[in-house]
Amino acid sequence: MVSVSSIQDALRALTAQVSLLNQQVGGRLDLRPVDRDCLYLISRHAPMTPSALAKVTGLHPATTTGVLDRLEKGGWIARERDPHDRRAVLIRPLPDRVPEIVSLYAGMTRALDDICAGYSPEERALLLGFITQVTDAATTAKDSL
């Protein structure tokens, strides 16, 4: 029987290895960890406003501005006027640099594809549910700090 503490240990090990992978990717792309994480969130939720990014990350608005300045200077994002509210700014990722990121994560992506191929659709649904709940728990823990 697998104990809860064994699962927690495995999740900590996973978190550490993914963090180290992300550090390597960020180093190759000259992206700080916070910049890389924000770029992911922008890519996932684009277009979004800087204030929405600050809210989802919990970063101070001034810190968010610094992140966006670096991402824009690096050619990762664009800031555009919101066509529905000329006072608002929307941020979106620029597609030209996506292949760089994809290539650096290609080994992990292939490994995940191979791992998932060994599970039935029902087992993958169970895994997805578990990962989603763990992600939600991490979000709640972050937001409560």
Side-chain angles (χ1 to χ4, degrees), residues 16-126:
Q17 290 305 311
V18 169
S19 179
L20 292 169
L21 170 63
N22 288 338
Q23 284 285 102
Q24 291 286 323
V25 169
R28 297 257 180 111
L29 299 173
D30 196 28
L31 288 172
R32 297 178 186 187
V34 69
D35 298 353
R36 186 199 60 246
D37 293 343
C38 287
L39 180 59
Y40 166 75
L41 292 168
I42 293 165
S43 298
R44 186 161 183 220
H45 301 288
M48 67 188 311
T49 64
S51 59
L53 179 63
K55 182 176 181 178
V56 75
T57 60
L59 295 173
H60 188 277
T63 302
T64 303
T65 298
V67 168
L68 294 175
D69 288 346
R70 288 189 299 274
L71 290 174
E72 186 175 42
K73 183 178 178 183
W76 294 102
I77 64 156
R79 291 174 169 139
E80 302 169 340
R81 290 280 173 212
D82 184 338
H84 305 292
D85 180 355
R86 296 293 296 161
R87 295 170 295 164
V89 171
L90 295 175
I91 49 179
R92 65 173 179 80
L94 293 175
D96 298 351
R97 307 247 0 229
V98 171
E100 290 177 72
I101 297 172
V102 170
S103 70
L104 292 172
Y105 283 108
M108 184 65 181
T109 300
R110 280 190 303 277
L112 284 173
D113 288 345
D114 292 344
I115 292 166
C116 289
Y119 290 93
S120 70
E122 295 80 16
E123 290 169 324
R124 289 193 302 266
L126 179 67

